[in-house]
Amino acid sequence: MTHPCDLSLVEMSERLACGDLCPVALTEEALRRAEENKHLNAFVTLNKEGALEQAEQSRKLIKEGKMRALEGIPLAYKDMFCTKGLRTTAGSRMLENFVPPYSAHVVKLLEGEGAICIGKCNQDEFAMGSASITGFGGAVVNPLSDQAGKDQTGKDQAGKDKAGKQLSAGGSSGGSAAAVAAGIVPAALGTDTGGSVRQPAAFTGCVGVKPTYGRCSRFGIVAYASSLDQAGVFARSVQDAFAVLHHMMGYDERDMTSVDSYRGEKVNPDMNFGILLPSLDVVEKYPAISEWLKGMEMLLGKKSVEKNMIAGERYKTKDVNLQNLESGALEAYYIIATAEASSNLARYDGVRYTHRSTHRSTALKENNIDELISGSRSEGFGSEVRRRILMGTHVLSSGYYDAIYVQAQKMRRILKGIFEKMFETYDIILSPVTPTTAFTLEEAKNFSPQAMYLQDFFTVQASLAGLPCLSMPFVKDANGLPIGLQLIAPAFQEERLLAAASHVEKIIGYKP
Amino acid sequence: MTSSLSSSLSSSSPSSPAASMLPDGWEMVVGLEVHAQITSSSKLFSGAATAFDAEPNRQVSFIDAAMPGMLPSLNKRCVEKALLTAIALEGEVNRHSVFERKNYFYPDLPQGYQISQLKHPLMQGGEIAIALEDGSTKKIAIERMHMEQDAGKSLHDMILGKTAIDLNRSGVALMEIVSKPELASPQEASAYVAKLRSILRAIDTCDGNMQEGSLRVDANVSVRKKDDPKLGTRCEIKNLNSLRFLRQAVLFEAKRQITLLEQREPVLQQTRLFDTATGTTRNMRSKEEAHDYRYFPDPDIPPLVIEEEQLEGLRAALPELPDARCARLQRDYGISASESSLLGENATSAAYFSTLAASVPAKTAANWMTSELFARLKTHEVEIDTIASILPAERAVKMLLLVEKGTISARAAKTLLDRMLENDKEPAALVEEMGLQQMGDEKTLLPLLQALLDENPKQRDAYRGGKQAVFGWFVGQAMQRTRGRGDPKVVNALLQRLLDNEG
């Protein structure tokens, strides 16, 4: 019999409803699996007592026939989501001891449906990173590390370079991805600013969905880059991911950028897929992309792939070409995201709830407030966060603002325009998620910042355009590691995204 | 000069024209930035309360304290009040305005940035008409008005050796109203602020209380030779919290700059502080030390879009403005221009006047208010807005009617008013108690006056010999003997009769 934690969320729910499964036992199992998988470093904080209390409550409600939509389902939240009474660190020493007196709006919505929070997931500090190695809690280990490069009997296969090595779960929501991939929880929340849900999903072989910007309230989610941040969901199937996402969407008056524009349109079953593939040199440079292209030919047929390949020419206007979707988008993303981050992270100043420098000799001397602030920030923030704050401060400085920041915003508008144009022809855009499959933690630690930023090569476009998108396991590389497929839908067309992803899932025969 | 009632109450009366205070050939150019706290029960981006003088940190939401994950949510009531202000100042409302972040670190600025409007303010243009000393009117152009958040307060003297932070004010809604540099004297500057304040009060968008900091003024001052078309280098004097300090600071600063220039030393662009104890200004920071605020559009707040419909609704609901009110009083009651401007600048005093004028002649009411009542409010340091609790209009009417009917003399009325301000007794009862009734009875007065004539034969004969002026002396004596209570009309008539008859 399947271990209860390995059930799909939908099955879990059915078994809980008919009494075959007890929410308390299920939660205990989830917590036990979390402990068993401690080496993955997927959690910053486990919510043992709180989770069991919630489970007890669920047990009562189910017994009374008052079961809610997600009653008794164990979930895990990235440590960017504030959870009332439960430490929320954003992966930073700065917030090492921060216990929020409130919960994020989406957390409240899920709680209101009976979901159980078993813990807070490890991540890159303040969601800045693509490997989940910059958090103060250390690196997250990809649960697929054990299988990489091995045959079915578990033996290392000759010539497989990743065998026996610790792999990265991707980032920044690596802990959430690992928790789902390791079968600890059926679904977990992440945040996606430039790919932080989609890339870890691709690395760990999960489904990761990011809704339209504004779909979910950002209230109570620690901010990285306000105009890009969105809550997202990891699950082991498309259906499960949307089962959770459906309860997170909707307008919240406390987030002025959230919108209430549900479009319950009928989804056309014969969808027209556009394939967005970068220039040939990129395909040749990255083996995973070649594999991806082969998979695409198997999925749609070679002819169809050729026909639906989005070429530069069609979208060329006076000063725009597909090049903008590549390097242009990546640059614009890092300019806008770091600019916003430099301002969003200014509140962590050592004055109120954050880490405070204790260099009494200098910091606490009278009139030395500047040293208290800079001392606290130097100690509280890790190097990648400091790097991005400096970059963001630079691009907003007088003399650079117009030359850099304003240009990036212009690029962002151009990108939105290109997507609008593409959606005149296609219902869904398909593209790779990442240039590579999961890299080893050792490799990750030696990446230059720029090499790490390249991980976002395929994901920042949909982020900048605010579009709903999803990453799902597609094909595998030589080490047997998953290569993801990205689906992008027009704004607020989450239903279409669900239909398309379910369709692809069925064809490729993916089993959770 | 038609100075505002409130300014004449809250500060010493303006002294002689500024022009004569500056050395010959120099003039000053002043522009003002006024920070007006929007009258609102909650803050600009949070639901926390805004009451003045609450216990420290009792009016702070998680948003105001910049807790992680908190987001601003724009208070529509504050926007409405700012729009009403824009309409009253006859400015042009930008249909599309943008909130930006002004980034700098300060312990009482929890977010590490202030949400303000730089490139696309809510309003641009507009003007305020001020009255000059010669009775003419000068229109002062307004550059712009925008909305922004206030910061918290750092309290340096509360805990020994430490700085305490009070975030009650953090996030409170402000309107920053910036004038063009068109003010030419301390008096003009102060008249501008007084007028602005009376407009804001009339439309209830700011209570205008400078002591409590709901209205704060920064003054940009420069000087130049009279025929020089170019503006000189300016200095900004921060946080002036009374009209008197504004006048003092502006004058001191202009003189300081002239002294420098006359010694052939340059004026440096600086932000300066006014020392209320010494009446001088001192440097706070120079241009070189100015912050790079790294303004950029706040990604948490979509652009503010104003619909024409909303503006039309607000235009229709605009309360009467001070200028219109003054004109109406003058027109409807036939009182003088100076009286109407004194009475009409404040809604309370205008309403009070209207109540009086319904029962006694308008001229009597106007004269009594502008001379007797206002003088006493000034002595007692009481604002006209609280008049209802001190002297309800109905009581004042009763008193004025006693004068009208001749029960008491105008002179006795002054004594009566002083007493009325001290207790709540009915005027008629006080008249009785104080023995203020007029003596208009012939039987009582005649023997008294006869005695006066008999005891002063020299003066009596002088009058009868043709010295008319002595009549006035008799009247004075008669009033003294009646302790001011003699009805002047009756006293005059009886004296005339007595003096003429025996002739």
Side-chain angles (χ1 to χ4, degrees), chain B residues 202-249:
Chain B
I203 57 174
D204 189 30
T205 61
C206 170
D207 70 21
N209 192 325
M210 294 182 84
Q211 272 92 47
E212 291 179 3
S214 4
L215 197 92
R216 307 193 287 270
V217 182
D218 299 342
N220 284 297
V221 181
S222 67
V223 296
R224 63 181 170 192
K225 285 284 192 185
K226 265 187 178 144
D227 44 11
D228 193 344
K230 271 207 323 256
L231 289 171
T233 304
R234 68 188 157 86
C235 285
E236 182 182 15
I237 313 161
K238 284 273 182 202
N239 263 330
L240 299 162
N241 63 3
S242 85
L243 296 180
R244 186 160 60 93
F245 293 154
L246 168 63
R247 288 191 297 270
Q248 281 180 3

Coordinates of all heavy atoms in Angstrom, one line a residue, chain B residues 202-249:
Chain B
A202 N -11.5 76.3 6.3 CA -12.8 76.4 5.7 C -13.3 75.1 5.1 O -14.5 74.8 5.2 CB -12.9 77.6 4.7
I203 N -12.4 74.4 4.5 CA -12.8 73.2 3.8 C -12.5 71.9 4.6 O -12.7 70.8 4.2 CB -12.2 73.1 2.4 CG1 -10.7 73.1 2.5 CG2 -12.7 74.2 1.5 CD1 -10.0 72.8 1.2
D204 N -12.0 72.2 5.8 CA -11.8 71.1 6.8 C -10.9 70.0 6.2 O -11.1 68.8 6.4 CB -13.1 70.5 7.2 CG -12.9 69.5 8.4 OD1 -12.0 69.7 9.2 OD2 -13.7 68.5 8.5
T205 N -9.8 70.5 5.6 CA -8.8 69.5 5.2 C -7.5 69.5 6.0 O -6.7 68.6 5.9 CB -8.4 69.7 3.7 OG1 -7.8 71.0 3.5 CG2 -9.6 69.6 2.8
C206 N -7.4 70.5 6.9 CA -6.3 70.6 7.8 C -6.7 71.5 8.9 O -7.4 72.5 8.7 CB -5.0 71.1 7.1 SG -3.7 71.5 8.2
D207 N -6.4 71.1 10.2 CA -6.9 71.9 11.3 C -6.0 73.2 11.5 O -6.3 74.1 12.2 CB -7.0 71.1 12.6 CG -5.7 70.7 13.2 OD1 -4.7 71.3 12.9 OD2 -5.7 69.7 13.9
G208 N -4.9 73.2 10.8 CA -4.0 74.4 10.8 C -3.3 74.7 12.1 O -2.8 75.8 12.2
N209 N -3.3 73.8 13.0 CA -2.7 74.1 14.3 C -1.2 74.0 14.2 O -0.6 72.9 14.1 CB -3.2 73.1 15.3 CG -2.9 73.5 16.7 OD1 -1.8 74.0 17.0 ND2 -3.8 73.2 17.6
M210 N -0.5 75.2 14.2 CA 0.9 75.2 14.1 C 1.7 74.7 15.3 O 2.7 74.1 15.2 CB 1.4 76.6 13.7 CG 0.8 77.0 12.3 SD 1.4 78.6 11.7 CE 3.0 78.2 11.0
Q211 N 1.1 75.0 16.5 CA 1.8 74.5 17.7 C 1.9 73.0 17.7 O 2.8 72.4 18.2 CB 1.0 75.0 19.0 CG 1.5 76.4 19.4 CD 0.6 77.4 18.8 OE1 -0.6 77.3 18.8 NE2 1.2 78.4 18.2
E212 N 0.8 72.3 17.3 CA 0.7 70.9 17.4 C 1.4 70.3 16.1 O 1.5 69.1 16.0 CB -0.7 70.4 17.4 CG -1.4 70.7 18.8 CD -2.8 70.3 18.9 OE1 -3.3 69.6 17.9 OE2 -3.4 70.5 19.9
G213 N 1.9 71.1 15.3 CA 2.6 70.7 14.1 C 1.8 70.2 13.0 O 2.3 69.6 12.0
S214 N 0.5 70.5 13.0 CA -0.4 70.0 11.9 C -0.1 71.0 10.7 O -0.6 70.7 9.6 CB -1.8 69.9 12.2 OG -2.1 70.3 13.4
L215 N 0.5 72.1 10.9 CA 0.9 73.0 9.8 C 2.3 73.4 10.0 O 2.6 74.0 11.0 CB 0.0 74.2 9.7 CG 0.0 74.9 8.4 CD1 -1.1 74.4 7.5 CD2 -0.3 76.4 8.6
R216 N 3.2 73.0 9.1 CA 4.6 73.4 9.3 C 5.1 74.1 8.1 O 4.7 73.7 7.0 CB 5.5 72.1 9.6 CG 5.0 71.2 10.7 CD 6.0 70.2 11.1 NE 6.1 69.1 10.1 CZ 5.4 68.0 10.2 NH1 4.5 67.8 11.1 NH2 5.6 67.0 9.3
V217 N 6.0 75.0 8.3 CA 6.4 75.8 7.1 C 8.0 75.7 7.0 O 8.7 75.9 7.9 CB 6.0 77.3 7.3 CG1 6.4 78.1 6.1 CG2 4.5 77.4 7.6
D218 N 8.4 75.5 5.7 CA 9.8 75.6 5.4 C 9.9 76.9 4.5 O 9.1 77.0 3.5 CB 10.3 74.4 4.6 CG 10.2 73.1 5.4 OD1 10.1 73.2 6.6 OD2 10.3 72.1 4.7
A219 N 10.8 77.8 4.7 CA 10.9 79.0 3.9 C 12.2 79.0 3.1 O 13.3 78.7 3.6 CB 10.9 80.2 4.8
N220 N 12.1 79.2 1.8 CA 13.2 79.4 0.9 C 13.5 80.9 0.8 O 12.6 81.6 0.2 CB 13.0 78.7 -0.4 CG 13.1 77.2 -0.4 OD1 14.2 76.7 -0.1 ND2 12.0 76.5 -0.6
V221 N 14.6 81.3 1.2 CA 14.9 82.8 1.2 C 16.1 83.1 0.4 O 17.1 82.4 0.5 CB 15.1 83.3 2.7 CG1 15.4 84.8 2.7 CG2 14.0 82.9 3.5
S222 N 16.0 84.1 -0.5 CA 17.2 84.6 -1.2 C 17.0 86.1 -1.2 O 16.0 86.7 -1.0 CB 17.3 84.0 -2.6 OG 16.2 84.4 -3.4
V223 N 18.1 86.8 -1.6 CA 18.1 88.2 -1.7 C 18.7 88.6 -3.0 O 19.4 87.9 -3.6 CB 18.8 89.0 -0.5 CG1 18.1 88.7 0.8 CG2 20.3 88.5 -0.5
R224 N 18.4 89.9 -3.5 CA 19.0 90.4 -4.7 C 18.9 91.9 -4.7 O 18.1 92.5 -4.0 CB 18.3 89.8 -5.9 CG 16.9 90.2 -6.1 CD 16.2 89.5 -7.3 NE 14.8 89.7 -7.3 CZ 14.0 89.1 -8.1 NH1 14.5 88.2 -9.0 NH2 12.7 89.3 -8.1
K225 N 19.7 92.5 -5.5 CA 19.6 94.0 -5.7 C 18.3 94.2 -6.4 O 17.8 93.4 -7.2 CB 20.7 94.5 -6.6 CG 22.1 94.5 -5.8 CD 22.1 95.7 -4.9 CE 23.5 96.0 -4.4 NZ 23.5 97.1 -3.4
K226 N 17.7 95.4 -6.1 CA 16.3 95.6 -6.6 C 16.1 95.5 -8.1 O 15.0 95.1 -8.5 CB 15.8 97.0 -6.0 CG 15.1 96.8 -4.7 CD 14.4 98.0 -4.2 CE 13.6 97.7 -3.0 NZ 13.7 98.7 -2.0
D227 N 17.1 95.9 -8.9 CA 16.8 95.8 -10.3 C 17.4 94.6 -11.0 O 17.4 94.4 -12.2 CB 17.4 97.1 -11.0 CG 18.8 97.4 -10.4 OD1 19.3 96.5 -9.7 OD2 19.4 98.4 -10.7
D228 N 17.8 93.6 -10.1 CA 18.4 92.4 -10.6 C 17.3 91.4 -11.0 O 16.5 91.0 -10.1 CB 19.3 91.8 -9.6 CG 20.2 90.7 -10.1 OD1 19.9 90.2 -11.2 OD2 21.2 90.3 -9.5
P229 N 17.2 91.0 -12.2 CA 16.1 90.0 -12.6 C 16.5 88.6 -12.1 O 15.6 87.8 -12.0 CB 16.1 90.1 -14.1 CG 17.5 90.5 -14.5 CD 18.0 91.3 -13.4
K230 N 17.7 88.4 -11.8 CA 18.1 87.0 -11.4 C 17.9 86.7 -9.9 O 18.1 87.6 -9.1 CB 19.7 86.8 -11.7 CG 20.0 86.3 -13.1 CD 21.3 85.5 -13.2 CE 22.4 86.0 -12.3 NZ 23.5 86.7 -13.0
L231 N 17.5 85.5 -9.6 CA 17.3 85.1 -8.2 C 18.7 84.8 -7.6 O 19.6 84.3 -8.3 CB 16.4 83.9 -8.1 CG 15.0 84.0 -8.5 CD1 14.3 82.7 -8.5 CD2 14.3 84.9 -7.4
G232 N 18.8 85.2 -6.3 CA 20.1 84.9 -5.7 C 20.1 83.4 -5.2 O 19.1 82.7 -5.3
T233 N 21.2 83.0 -4.6 CA 21.3 81.6 -4.0 C 20.4 81.6 -2.8 O 20.4 82.5 -2.0 CB 22.7 81.3 -3.6 OG1 23.6 81.5 -4.8 CG2 22.9 79.9 -3.1
R234 N 19.6 80.5 -2.7 CA 18.6 80.4 -1.6 C 19.1 79.5 -0.5 O 19.9 78.6 -0.7 CB 17.3 80.0 -2.2 CG 17.3 78.5 -2.6 CD 16.0 78.2 -3.3 NE 16.1 77.1 -4.1 CZ 16.0 75.8 -3.7 NH1 15.8 75.5 -2.5 NH2 16.2 74.8 -4.6
C235 N 18.6 79.8 0.7 CA 18.7 78.9 1.8 C 17.3 78.5 2.2 O 16.4 79.3 2.1 CB 19.4 79.6 3.0 SG 21.2 79.8 2.6
E236 N 17.2 77.3 2.7 CA 15.9 76.8 3.1 C 15.9 76.7 4.6 O 16.8 76.1 5.2 CB 15.7 75.4 2.5 CG 14.3 74.8 2.9 CD 14.1 73.4 2.4 OE1 15.0 72.8 2.0 OE2 12.9 73.0 2.4
I237 N 15.0 77.4 5.3 CA 14.9 77.3 6.7 C 13.7 76.3 7.1 O 12.6 76.5 6.6 CB 14.6 78.7 7.3 CG1 15.5 79.7 6.7 CG2 14.7 78.7 8.8 CD1 15.0 81.1 6.9
K238 N 14.1 75.3 7.9 CA 13.2 74.2 8.1 C 12.3 74.4 9.3 O 12.6 75.1 10.3 CB 14.0 72.9 8.4 CG 14.6 72.3 7.1 CD 13.6 71.4 6.5 CE 14.1 70.7 5.3 NZ 13.1 70.2 4.4
N239 N 11.0 73.9 9.2 CA 10.2 73.7 10.3 C 9.9 74.9 11.2 O 10.1 74.9 12.4 CB 10.8 72.6 11.3 CG 10.2 71.3 11.0 OD1 9.0 71.2 10.6 ND2 11.0 70.2 11.2
L240 N 9.3 75.9 10.6 CA 8.9 77.1 11.3 C 7.5 76.8 11.8 O 6.6 76.6 11.0 CB 9.0 78.3 10.4 CG 10.4 78.5 9.9 CD1 10.4 79.5 8.7 CD2 11.3 79.1 11.0
N241 N 7.3 76.9 13.2 CA 6.0 76.5 13.6 C 5.1 77.6 14.2 O 4.2 77.3 15.0 CB 6.1 75.3 14.6 CG 6.9 75.7 15.8 OD1 7.3 76.8 16.0 ND2 7.1 74.7 16.7
S242 N 5.4 78.8 13.9 CA 4.4 79.9 14.1 C 4.7 81.0 13.1 O 5.7 81.1 12.5 CB 4.6 80.4 15.6 OG 5.6 81.4 15.6
L243 N 3.6 81.9 13.0 CA 3.8 82.9 12.0 C 4.8 83.9 12.4 O 5.5 84.5 11.6 CB 2.4 83.6 11.8 CG 1.3 82.8 11.2 CD1 0.0 83.5 11.1 CD2 1.7 82.2 9.9
R244 N 4.9 84.1 13.8 CA 5.9 85.1 14.3 C 7.3 84.6 14.0 O 8.2 85.3 13.5 CB 5.7 85.2 15.8 CG 6.6 86.3 16.4 CD 6.0 86.7 17.7 NE 6.0 85.6 18.7 CZ 7.0 85.3 19.5 NH1 8.1 86.0 19.6 NH2 6.8 84.3 20.3
F245 N 7.5 83.3 14.2 CA 8.9 82.7 13.9 C 9.2 82.8 12.4 O 10.3 83.0 12.0 CB 8.9 81.2 14.4 CG 8.9 81.1 15.9 CD1 8.4 79.9 16.4 CD2 9.3 82.1 16.7 CE1 8.4 79.8 17.8 CE2 9.3 82.0 18.1 CZ 8.8 80.8 18.7
L246 N 8.1 82.6 11.6 CA 8.3 82.7 10.2 C 8.8 84.1 9.8 O 9.8 84.2 9.1 CB 7.0 82.4 9.5 CG 6.9 82.7 8.0 CD1 7.9 81.9 7.2 CD2 5.5 82.4 7.4
R247 N 8.1 85.1 10.3 CA 8.5 86.5 10.0 C 10.0 86.7 10.5 O 10.8 87.3 9.8 CB 7.6 87.5 10.6 CG 6.2 87.5 9.9 CD 5.4 88.7 10.4 NE 5.0 88.6 11.8 CZ 3.9 88.1 12.3 NH1 3.1 87.5 11.5 NH2 3.7 88.0 13.6
Q248 N 10.2 86.3 11.7 CA 11.5 86.6 12.3 C 12.6 85.9 11.5 O 13.6 86.4 11.2 CB 11.6 86.0 13.7 CG 11.0 86.9 14.8 CD 11.1 86.2 16.2 OE1 11.7 85.2 16.3 NE2 10.5 86.9 17.2
A249 N 12.4 84.6 11.2 CA 13.4 83.8 10.5 C 13.7 84.4 9.1 O 14.8 84.5 8.7 CB 12.9 82.3 10.4

